[in-house]
Amino acid sequence: MRKNLLLTLFLFALLMVGVAMAERYLNAYLVRILNTACIYVVAAVAYNLINGVTGQFSLGPNAFMAIGGYTVALLMLPLAQKKEVYFLQPLIWPLNAFSFPPSLFILALFLGGLLASLFALLIGIPTLRLRGDYLAIATFGFGEIVIVLANNLIPVTNGALGIKGIPEYTNLWWTASWAFWTVFMIKNLVNSSFGRALKAIRENEIAAEAMGVNLFRHKLLAFVLSGFFAGVAGGLFVTLISTVSPTLFTFSMTFNLLIIIVLGGLGSITGSTVTAILFAFLQELLREVEAPHTIGSWTFPGIPGMRMVVFSVILVILMIFYRRGLFGQRELSFEDILSLFRRGRKAHV
Amino acid sequence: MQWTALFQQFMNGVSVGSLYALLAIGYTLVYGILGLINFAHSDVFMLGTYFAFFMIGVFLLPWWLSVLIGVALCSLVGMSIERVAYRPLRNAPRISALITAVGVSFFIENLGLVTVGARPKGFPRPDLMKNVYTILGARIQGVTFWVPVISVLILLALFYIVYRTKIGMAMRAVSRDMETTRLMGVDVDRVILYTFALGSALAGVGGVLWACKYPQINPLMGIFPGWKAFTAAVVGGIGNVVGAMLGGFIIGLAEILIVAFFPGLTGYRDAFVFTILIIFLLVKPGGLMGEATKEKV
């Protein structure tokens, strides 16, 4: 155990060195993609906890990201900017009176996560008693309710116009650290007895219950935890792109995360991490598809929106022909990496 | 509120409700047989309006013929979706099939956005739908009157198919026990294909009627009606055709009346239906007409 902790810290230090190098030598565009990648890691690993590990098909992470995103935006937006943004209807009282200084950014993220997990608790208590498809529609419904609220609660969210001018506090230091510690936390959680109970629920609820697992409590805890990290991811995202609006967290966000966790292998934390990073780059590469092209004397006009078509085809093909995803349910552990260095011994998977 | 206004709202609710009922039956048929939420159903609904739209606008066909062709194409699309996306996953875990269904739905929506664009188009309505009638002192638009009438006729035809024909009997048998039905010599795959054809045709009709009521069509127009119809199917007891119809009318009326009585809540209308859904699932998970299913080990 101590060895694992030391290795984790060493890995984190390594990552921070990597971040320092990236901040220094990479161009802004690449840093931006890396930032997005890290945020996807946080959101996808959290989503995988409930969908892949616990086997409860939720379609609502976009709602939790939205809650986290709006919370962080409202807390961090400077007072002057608050006056400027809310010209239709003024911002309601406690929020219009204060604004967090940059040093409290981490606190804002935590509050965003906490609020998201509070909503996860509120929505989880009624809906997690439902099973399979019913849970899927109930969580989807919740996601839509949040979007409807974001569009209509103008004194809080500024409606469809959204909030602009959020300070760009997020940088690679933040996103990479959050990604790292999210993976670390959830991986350890999955390997604990709590995590084994979650997997038992995924494999067979009735058997798990017969073995003494409190189904509802375990599902709810996983849901709340997943909500927390989704909220943080939303907060990071908002302060990265410096704006938030209801369209940012529509169902497409959930859909992207769904592709990531399915492609990586439902239930595999390693899979979600790797594919989240791949996905961020893939999304950029596919911009090519949307850009106008000239091949020889032929000019193809750009087709905006083509990316999502490609993604949905990928998802369906994956489900039909390659259901296990890249990693199946396997995980990469320190043992595996270490055994690569030890000659003569076979790596065990 | 004056009683003519109430009557107007009531008729409005009935006409929206009948549309939800049409759509809900498609969900319930597929769910009853495969145990799968056919997420793409609402997109077939959207396709129906576009097929009819292009038949009228581009090929300049008469209205009724365009609609017939549109509905036939919807059936074809429904069957293709089943064949290509759902059949390979017949024996896969439920979650895989569900994810595939989400993928197919997203594919159709985005393909729509790419090909026809996000901008809403005006749907040409026949004069029959635009006339204004005076019934019992209330002025009622043609659509509000004709949509429920047409829907009920179609629903009657559907009941005839499901409860009086051989294929209907086969559909009910498959939904009860697929394996035993197969052993009885029924071609289960064909029955499922037929179910998709029937459900998608209803979605197509529903789409065209919807476009007569709200004559602005866009590639994402199916999403909300689809979810509400699914909610209706759940409220009625999913897998039960009569329940789906009943649920459709309940949801339609509830939605229209809440906005009529509380105009301030108009913006929250869509959220309201999902709230009904969640509350309903908690109080009566099996739905109005559904049977409580026992958990099997």
Side-chain angles (χ1 to χ4, degrees), chain A residues 85-130:
Chain A
V85 166
Y86 287 82
F87 58 86
L88 281 177
Q89 286 179 34
L91 185 59
I92 53 162
W93 168 63
L95 290 168
N96 66 4
F98 70 94
S99 151
F100 278 14
S103 56
L104 289 183
F105 178 49
I106 179 94
L107 180 66
L109 283 179
F110 267 102
L111 287 176
L114 281 178
L115 200 67
S117 57
L118 184 72
F119 272 87
L121 188 73
L122 285 179
I123 193 70
I125 288 172
T127 56
L128 283 171
R129 297 177 197 278
L130 308 171

Short mmCIF file of all heavy atoms in Angstrom, two decimals, chain A residues 85-130:
data_model
loop_
_atom_site.label_atom_id
_atom_site.label_comp_id
_atom_site.label_asym_id
_atom_site.label_seq_id
_atom_site.Cartn_x
_atom_site.Cartn_y
_atom_site.Cartn_z
N VAL A 85 -23.66 41.96 -17.43
CA VAL A 85 -24.28 40.80 -18.07
C VAL A 85 -25.79 40.78 -17.86
O VAL A 85 -26.55 40.52 -18.78
CB VAL A 85 -23.64 39.51 -17.54
CG1 VAL A 85 -24.48 38.29 -17.92
CG2 VAL A 85 -22.24 39.35 -18.08
N TYR A 86 -26.21 41.10 -16.63
CA TYR A 86 -27.63 40.97 -16.32
C TYR A 86 -28.37 42.27 -16.64
O TYR A 86 -28.77 43.00 -15.75
CB TYR A 86 -27.83 40.61 -14.84
CG TYR A 86 -27.44 39.18 -14.56
CD1 TYR A 86 -26.12 38.83 -14.35
CD2 TYR A 86 -28.40 38.19 -14.53
CE1 TYR A 86 -25.77 37.52 -14.11
CE2 TYR A 86 -28.06 36.88 -14.28
CZ TYR A 86 -26.74 36.56 -14.07
OH TYR A 86 -26.38 35.26 -13.84
N PHE A 87 -28.52 42.55 -17.93
CA PHE A 87 -29.22 43.80 -18.26
C PHE A 87 -30.71 43.57 -18.47
O PHE A 87 -31.49 44.51 -18.41
CB PHE A 87 -28.58 44.48 -19.47
CG PHE A 87 -28.55 43.64 -20.70
CD1 PHE A 87 -29.63 43.61 -21.55
CD2 PHE A 87 -27.42 42.89 -21.00
CE1 PHE A 87 -29.60 42.83 -22.68
CE2 PHE A 87 -27.40 42.10 -22.13
CZ PHE A 87 -28.49 42.07 -22.98
N LEU A 88 -31.11 42.32 -18.74
CA LEU A 88 -32.54 42.05 -18.90
C LEU A 88 -33.26 42.14 -17.56
O LEU A 88 -34.20 42.89 -17.38
CB LEU A 88 -32.76 40.66 -19.50
CG LEU A 88 -32.55 40.53 -20.99
CD1 LEU A 88 -32.72 39.08 -21.42
CD2 LEU A 88 -33.52 41.42 -21.75
N GLN A 89 -32.78 41.34 -16.64
CA GLN A 89 -33.31 41.36 -15.27
C GLN A 89 -32.09 41.29 -14.36
O GLN A 89 -31.18 40.52 -14.62
CB GLN A 89 -34.22 40.15 -15.01
CG GLN A 89 -35.57 40.25 -15.67
CD GLN A 89 -36.40 39.01 -15.38
OE1 GLN A 89 -36.31 38.42 -14.32
NE2 GLN A 89 -37.19 38.61 -16.35
N PRO A 90 -32.09 42.08 -13.28
CA PRO A 90 -30.91 42.06 -12.41
C PRO A 90 -30.76 40.71 -11.70
O PRO A 90 -31.73 40.00 -11.47
CB PRO A 90 -31.17 43.20 -11.43
CG PRO A 90 -32.63 43.46 -11.51
CD PRO A 90 -33.09 43.07 -12.86
N LEU A 91 -29.53 40.41 -11.37
CA LEU A 91 -29.22 39.18 -10.64
C LEU A 91 -29.84 39.26 -9.25
O LEU A 91 -29.89 40.31 -8.63
CB LEU A 91 -27.70 39.06 -10.54
CG LEU A 91 -27.09 37.82 -9.91
CD1 LEU A 91 -27.51 36.58 -10.67
CD2 LEU A 91 -25.58 37.93 -9.93
N ILE A 92 -30.32 38.11 -8.75
CA ILE A 92 -30.99 38.13 -7.44
C ILE A 92 -29.99 38.39 -6.31
O ILE A 92 -28.78 38.24 -6.49
CB ILE A 92 -31.75 36.82 -7.17
CG1 ILE A 92 -30.82 35.64 -7.37
CG2 ILE A 92 -32.99 36.71 -8.04
CD1 ILE A 92 -31.34 34.39 -6.74
N TRP A 93 -30.56 38.65 -5.14
CA TRP A 93 -29.79 39.28 -4.09
C TRP A 93 -28.46 38.65 -3.67
O TRP A 93 -27.43 39.22 -3.98
CB TRP A 93 -30.64 39.56 -2.84
CG TRP A 93 -29.77 39.93 -1.69
CD1 TRP A 93 -28.94 41.02 -1.58
CD2 TRP A 93 -29.57 39.16 -0.51
NE1 TRP A 93 -28.25 40.98 -0.41
CE2 TRP A 93 -28.62 39.84 0.27
CE3 TRP A 93 -30.11 37.96 -0.04
CZ2 TRP A 93 -28.18 39.36 1.51
CZ3 TRP A 93 -29.69 37.49 1.19
CH2 TRP A 93 -28.73 38.20 1.94
N PRO A 94 -28.41 37.50 -2.99
CA PRO A 94 -27.09 37.26 -2.38
C PRO A 94 -25.99 37.20 -3.43
O PRO A 94 -24.86 37.60 -3.18
CB PRO A 94 -27.26 35.91 -1.66
CG PRO A 94 -28.50 35.31 -2.19
CD PRO A 94 -29.32 36.38 -2.81
N LEU A 95 -26.38 36.77 -4.63
CA LEU A 95 -25.35 36.59 -5.66
C LEU A 95 -24.83 37.90 -6.22
O LEU A 95 -23.69 37.98 -6.66
CB LEU A 95 -25.92 35.73 -6.79
CG LEU A 95 -26.15 34.27 -6.40
CD1 LEU A 95 -26.97 33.57 -7.46
CD2 LEU A 95 -24.82 33.55 -6.20
N ASN A 96 -25.67 38.95 -6.20
CA ASN A 96 -25.21 40.21 -6.79
C ASN A 96 -24.37 41.03 -5.83
O ASN A 96 -23.88 42.09 -6.16
CB ASN A 96 -26.40 41.04 -7.31
CG ASN A 96 -27.30 41.50 -6.18
OD1 ASN A 96 -27.00 41.26 -5.01
ND2 ASN A 96 -28.40 42.15 -6.52
N ALA A 97 -24.22 40.52 -4.58
CA ALA A 97 -23.53 41.33 -3.58
C ALA A 97 -22.06 40.97 -3.41
O ALA A 97 -21.31 41.72 -2.81
CB ALA A 97 -24.25 41.19 -2.24
N PHE A 98 -21.66 39.79 -3.93
CA PHE A 98 -20.26 39.42 -3.70
C PHE A 98 -19.70 38.69 -4.91
O PHE A 98 -20.44 38.28 -5.81
CB PHE A 98 -20.15 38.50 -2.48
CG PHE A 98 -20.72 37.13 -2.72
CD1 PHE A 98 -19.90 36.09 -3.13
CD2 PHE A 98 -22.07 36.89 -2.55
CE1 PHE A 98 -20.43 34.83 -3.38
CE2 PHE A 98 -22.60 35.63 -2.80
CZ PHE A 98 -21.78 34.60 -3.21
N SER A 99 -18.40 38.55 -4.89
CA SER A 99 -17.74 37.80 -5.94
C SER A 99 -16.44 37.26 -5.35
O SER A 99 -15.77 37.94 -4.58
CB SER A 99 -17.47 38.72 -7.12
OG SER A 99 -16.34 38.32 -7.82
N PHE A 100 -16.14 36.01 -5.66
CA PHE A 100 -14.94 35.39 -5.06
C PHE A 100 -13.68 35.98 -5.68
O PHE A 100 -13.62 36.18 -6.89
CB PHE A 100 -14.95 33.88 -5.30
CG PHE A 100 -15.78 33.11 -4.34
CD1 PHE A 100 -16.70 33.75 -3.51
CD2 PHE A 100 -15.63 31.74 -4.25
CE1 PHE A 100 -17.46 33.03 -2.62
CE2 PHE A 100 -16.41 31.01 -3.35
CZ PHE A 100 -17.32 31.65 -2.54
N PRO A 101 -12.65 36.26 -4.85
CA PRO A 101 -11.35 36.62 -5.42
C PRO A 101 -10.72 35.37 -6.06
O PRO A 101 -11.11 34.25 -5.74
CB PRO A 101 -10.55 37.07 -4.20
CG PRO A 101 -11.19 36.38 -3.06
CD PRO A 101 -12.64 36.24 -3.40
N PRO A 102 -9.74 35.57 -6.94
CA PRO A 102 -9.15 34.43 -7.65
C PRO A 102 -8.63 33.34 -6.71
O PRO A 102 -8.65 32.16 -7.04
CB PRO A 102 -8.00 35.05 -8.44
CG PRO A 102 -8.34 36.47 -8.55
CD PRO A 102 -9.19 36.84 -7.37
N SER A 103 -8.18 33.75 -5.51
CA SER A 103 -7.59 32.77 -4.61
C SER A 103 -8.62 31.75 -4.13
O SER A 103 -8.26 30.67 -3.67
CB SER A 103 -6.96 33.47 -3.41
OG SER A 103 -7.95 34.26 -2.78
N LEU A 104 -9.90 32.09 -4.23
CA LEU A 104 -10.94 31.17 -3.76
C LEU A 104 -11.49 30.30 -4.89
O LEU A 104 -12.52 29.66 -4.74
CB LEU A 104 -12.08 31.93 -3.10
CG LEU A 104 -11.76 32.55 -1.74
CD1 LEU A 104 -12.99 33.21 -1.15
CD2 LEU A 104 -11.21 31.52 -0.77
N PHE A 105 -10.76 30.28 -6.03
CA PHE A 105 -11.24 29.49 -7.17
C PHE A 105 -11.49 28.03 -6.79
O PHE A 105 -12.51 27.44 -7.12
CB PHE A 105 -10.22 29.59 -8.31
CG PHE A 105 -10.58 28.79 -9.52
CD1 PHE A 105 -11.85 28.87 -10.08
CD2 PHE A 105 -9.66 27.93 -10.12
CE1 PHE A 105 -12.19 28.13 -11.21
CE2 PHE A 105 -10.00 27.19 -11.24
CZ PHE A 105 -11.26 27.30 -11.77
N ILE A 106 -10.55 27.50 -6.02
CA ILE A 106 -10.67 26.09 -5.63
C ILE A 106 -11.93 25.88 -4.79
O ILE A 106 -12.64 24.88 -4.96
CB ILE A 106 -9.39 25.63 -4.87
CG1 ILE A 106 -9.49 24.17 -4.44
CG2 ILE A 106 -9.11 26.44 -3.63
CD1 ILE A 106 -8.89 23.23 -5.42
N LEU A 107 -12.22 26.85 -3.93
CA LEU A 107 -13.43 26.75 -3.11
C LEU A 107 -14.68 26.77 -4.00
O LEU A 107 -15.63 26.01 -3.79
CB LEU A 107 -13.47 27.89 -2.10
CG LEU A 107 -14.68 27.89 -1.17
CD1 LEU A 107 -14.65 26.68 -0.25
CD2 LEU A 107 -14.72 29.17 -0.34
N ALA A 108 -14.64 27.66 -5.01
CA ALA A 108 -15.79 27.74 -5.94
C ALA A 108 -16.00 26.40 -6.63
O ALA A 108 -17.13 25.93 -6.77
CB ALA A 108 -15.55 28.84 -6.96
N LEU A 109 -14.88 25.78 -7.05
CA LEU A 109 -15.01 24.47 -7.70
C LEU A 109 -15.65 23.46 -6.77
O LEU A 109 -16.54 22.70 -7.14
CB LEU A 109 -13.64 23.97 -8.14
CG LEU A 109 -13.04 24.58 -9.40
CD1 LEU A 109 -11.67 23.99 -9.67
CD2 LEU A 109 -13.96 24.34 -10.59
N PHE A 110 -15.17 23.47 -5.51
CA PHE A 110 -15.73 22.52 -4.54
C PHE A 110 -17.21 22.79 -4.32
O PHE A 110 -18.01 21.86 -4.25
CB PHE A 110 -14.97 22.59 -3.21
CG PHE A 110 -13.86 21.60 -3.13
CD1 PHE A 110 -12.54 21.99 -3.32
CD2 PHE A 110 -14.13 20.26 -2.90
CE1 PHE A 110 -11.52 21.06 -3.27
CE2 PHE A 110 -13.12 19.33 -2.85
CZ PHE A 110 -11.80 19.73 -3.04
N LEU A 111 -17.56 24.08 -4.22
CA LEU A 111 -18.97 24.40 -4.01
C LEU A 111 -19.81 23.98 -5.21
O LEU A 111 -20.92 23.45 -5.05
CB LEU A 111 -19.14 25.90 -3.75
CG LEU A 111 -18.65 26.36 -2.38
CD1 LEU A 111 -18.75 27.87 -2.25
CD2 LEU A 111 -19.44 25.68 -1.27
N GLY A 112 -19.26 24.18 -6.41
CA GLY A 112 -19.97 23.73 -7.62
C GLY A 112 -20.19 22.23 -7.58
O GLY A 112 -21.29 21.74 -7.84
N GLY A 113 -19.14 21.51 -7.21
CA GLY A 113 -19.25 20.06 -7.11
C GLY A 113 -20.26 19.66 -6.05
O GLY A 113 -21.08 18.77 -6.25
N LEU A 114 -20.20 20.36 -4.90
CA LEU A 114 -21.11 20.01 -3.80
C LEU A 114 -22.56 20.26 -4.18
O LEU A 114 -23.43 19.45 -3.89
CB LEU A 114 -20.76 20.82 -2.55
CG LEU A 114 -19.58 20.29 -1.77
CD1 LEU A 114 -19.28 21.17 -0.57
CD2 LEU A 114 -19.86 18.86 -1.30
N LEU A 115 -22.79 21.39 -4.85
CA LEU A 115 -24.17 21.68 -5.25
C LEU A 115 -24.67 20.63 -6.24
O LEU A 115 -25.81 20.15 -6.13
CB LEU A 115 -24.26 23.08 -5.87
CG LEU A 115 -25.66 23.66 -5.86
CD1 LEU A 115 -26.12 23.93 -4.45
CD2 LEU A 115 -25.72 24.92 -6.69
N ALA A 116 -23.77 20.25 -7.17
CA ALA A 116 -24.16 19.21 -8.13
C ALA A 116 -24.46 17.92 -7.40
O ALA A 116 -25.42 17.22 -7.72
CB ALA A 116 -23.05 19.01 -9.15
N SER A 117 -23.64 17.59 -6.38
CA SER A 117 -23.89 16.32 -5.69
C SER A 117 -25.15 16.42 -4.84
O SER A 117 -25.84 15.42 -4.64
CB SER A 117 -22.69 15.90 -4.86
OG SER A 117 -22.34 16.90 -3.95
N LEU A 118 -25.46 17.62 -4.37
CA LEU A 118 -26.72 17.79 -3.63
C LEU A 118 -27.90 17.50 -4.55
O LEU A 118 -28.85 16.81 -4.18
CB LEU A 118 -26.81 19.22 -3.09
CG LEU A 118 -28.02 19.51 -2.23
CD1 LEU A 118 -27.87 18.83 -0.88
CD2 LEU A 118 -28.22 21.00 -2.04
N PHE A 119 -27.82 18.03 -5.77
CA PHE A 119 -28.88 17.75 -6.73
C PHE A 119 -28.91 16.27 -7.09
O PHE A 119 -29.99 15.69 -7.29
CB PHE A 119 -28.72 18.60 -8.00
CG PHE A 119 -29.39 19.94 -7.89
CD1 PHE A 119 -28.73 21.02 -7.35
CD2 PHE A 119 -30.69 20.10 -8.31
CE1 PHE A 119 -29.36 22.23 -7.22
CE2 PHE A 119 -31.33 21.31 -8.19
CZ PHE A 119 -30.66 22.39 -7.64
N ALA A 120 -27.72 15.66 -7.16
CA ALA A 120 -27.67 14.22 -7.44
C ALA A 120 -28.40 13.47 -6.34
O ALA A 120 -29.12 12.51 -6.59
CB ALA A 120 -26.23 13.76 -7.55
N LEU A 121 -28.23 13.94 -5.11
CA LEU A 121 -28.91 13.31 -3.97
C LEU A 121 -30.42 13.47 -4.12
O LEU A 121 -31.18 12.51 -4.00
CB LEU A 121 -28.43 13.95 -2.67
CG LEU A 121 -28.88 13.28 -1.39
CD1 LEU A 121 -28.14 11.99 -1.19
CD2 LEU A 121 -28.65 14.20 -0.20
N LEU A 122 -30.83 14.71 -4.43
CA LEU A 122 -32.26 14.99 -4.53
C LEU A 122 -32.92 14.19 -5.65
O LEU A 122 -34.03 13.67 -5.48
CB LEU A 122 -32.48 16.49 -4.79
CG LEU A 122 -32.26 17.38 -3.58
CD1 LEU A 122 -32.48 18.83 -3.96
CD2 LEU A 122 -33.20 16.98 -2.45
N ILE A 123 -32.21 14.10 -6.79
CA ILE A 123 -32.80 13.39 -7.92
C ILE A 123 -32.60 11.89 -7.75
O ILE A 123 -33.40 11.07 -8.21
CB ILE A 123 -32.23 13.91 -9.26
CG1 ILE A 123 -33.07 13.40 -10.43
CG2 ILE A 123 -30.79 13.50 -9.47
CD1 ILE A 123 -34.42 14.00 -10.50
N GLY A 124 -31.53 11.52 -7.07
CA GLY A 124 -31.23 10.10 -6.91
C GLY A 124 -32.20 9.39 -5.98
O GLY A 124 -32.56 8.24 -6.21
N ILE A 125 -32.64 10.08 -4.92
CA ILE A 125 -33.52 9.42 -3.95
C ILE A 125 -34.80 8.90 -4.62
O ILE A 125 -35.14 7.74 -4.45
CB ILE A 125 -33.84 10.38 -2.78
CG1 ILE A 125 -32.59 10.54 -1.91
CG2 ILE A 125 -34.98 9.85 -1.93
CD1 ILE A 125 -32.71 11.58 -0.84
N PRO A 126 -35.48 9.72 -5.43
CA PRO A 126 -36.62 9.11 -6.10
C PRO A 126 -36.25 8.17 -7.25
O PRO A 126 -36.83 7.11 -7.39
CB PRO A 126 -37.42 10.31 -6.62
CG PRO A 126 -36.45 11.41 -6.70
CD PRO A 126 -35.44 11.17 -5.64
N THR A 127 -35.28 8.58 -8.09
CA THR A 127 -35.12 7.84 -9.35
C THR A 127 -34.29 6.56 -9.22
O THR A 127 -34.47 5.64 -10.01
CB THR A 127 -34.45 8.71 -10.44
OG1 THR A 127 -33.23 9.19 -9.94
CG2 THR A 127 -35.35 9.85 -10.83
N LEU A 128 -33.40 6.48 -8.26
CA LEU A 128 -32.53 5.30 -8.23
C LEU A 128 -33.27 4.05 -7.78
O LEU A 128 -32.72 2.95 -7.80
CB LEU A 128 -31.31 5.56 -7.35
CG LEU A 128 -30.26 6.42 -8.04
CD1 LEU A 128 -29.18 6.84 -7.08
CD2 LEU A 128 -29.63 5.68 -9.21
N ARG A 129 -34.52 4.22 -7.36
CA ARG A 129 -35.32 3.02 -7.10
C ARG A 129 -35.78 2.40 -8.41
O ARG A 129 -36.20 1.26 -8.45
CB ARG A 129 -36.56 3.39 -6.28
CG ARG A 129 -36.21 3.94 -4.93
CD ARG A 129 -37.45 4.37 -4.17
NE ARG A 129 -37.09 5.25 -3.07
CZ ARG A 129 -36.66 4.80 -1.90
NH1 ARG A 129 -36.57 3.52 -1.67
NH2 ARG A 129 -36.33 5.65 -0.94
N LEU A 130 -35.71 3.21 -9.49
CA LEU A 130 -36.12 2.70 -10.80
C LEU A 130 -34.99 1.88 -11.39
O LEU A 130 -33.85 1.98 -10.98
CB LEU A 130 -36.43 3.87 -11.73
CG LEU A 130 -37.40 4.89 -11.18
CD1 LEU A 130 -37.45 6.08 -12.10
CD2 LEU A 130 -38.77 4.26 -11.05
#
